[in-house]
Amino acid sequence: MCPLPFLAAAVAASRTPLRLLGRGLAAMSAARRLKSVDYEVFGRVQGVCFRMYTEDEARKIGVVGWVKNTSKGTVTGQVQGPEDKVNSMMSWLSKVGSPSSRIDRTNFSNEKIISQLDYSNFSIRY
């Protein structure tokens, strides 16, 4: 492993004011926090490939968890991962969905910071 990138980073860091470094470290630690949230999506979300698109988007964003249809015509699931990525997925579940879907509302619950992930991938449950 070449030590030059580390040396360059150390030199650059030594020239950066400490107040800027402090903000950067705070932002980095927030991005590394793991978050978990449960969700339920209401609207026209069954029969429109919503679960498939959700699985695909979750894998693109880099979060883990699951998604499934409910007997009451909604889609429910859980998302876990770095806080910023979970927030991106929450936005997608609220505003985008699959091309043929219509999202009326999305309820989020049990939103919390976790110490480790409960899943190793994102899957569709039946």
Side-chain angles (χ1 to χ4, degrees):
M1 178 188 241
C2 178
L4 285 178
F6 296 113
L7 181 59
V11 170
S14 68
R15 294 181 185 153
T16 305
L18 288 177
R19 66 185 188 348
L20 291 178
L21 275 177
R23 269 188 256 149
L25 292 174
M28 282 179 19
S29 65
R32 290 187 180 149
R33 293 193 317 182
L34 295 176
K35 181 176 179 177
S36 177
V37 66
D38 298 340
Y39 62 89
E40 185 169 14
V41 187
F42 297 79
R44 195 177 82 196
V45 292
Q46 289 192 9
V48 292
C49 299
F50 194 91
R51 292 172 301 157
M52 182 184 71
Y53 276 86
T54 300
E55 179 184 41
D56 186 52
E57 187 66 18
R59 290 181 175 171
K60 283 180 193 170
I61 290 174
V63 293
V64 298
W66 55 272
V67 60
K68 74 174 186 175
N69 284 342
T70 69
S71 59
K72 52 186 188 172
T74 64
V75 170
T76 189
Q78 187 175 65
V79 177
Q80 295 183 346
E83 189 171 16
D84 57 335
K85 292 182 178 189
V86 170
N87 291 343
S88 294
M89 190 67 191
M90 290 171 71
S91 179
W92 187 90
L93 288 164
S94 300
K95 300 172 186 169
V96 182
S98 66
S100 300
S101 68
R102 185 195 72 245
I103 299 170
D104 292 339
R105 77 177 192 277
T106 304
N107 291 349
F108 296 101
S109 60
N110 300 320
E111 193 170 338
K112 59 190 172 189
I113 300 300
I114 57 175
S115 59
Q116 64 183 28
L117 300 173
D118 294 325
Y119 311 100
S120 58
N121 61 9
F122 198 93
S123 63
I124 297 174
R125 291 187 178 177
Y126 298 94

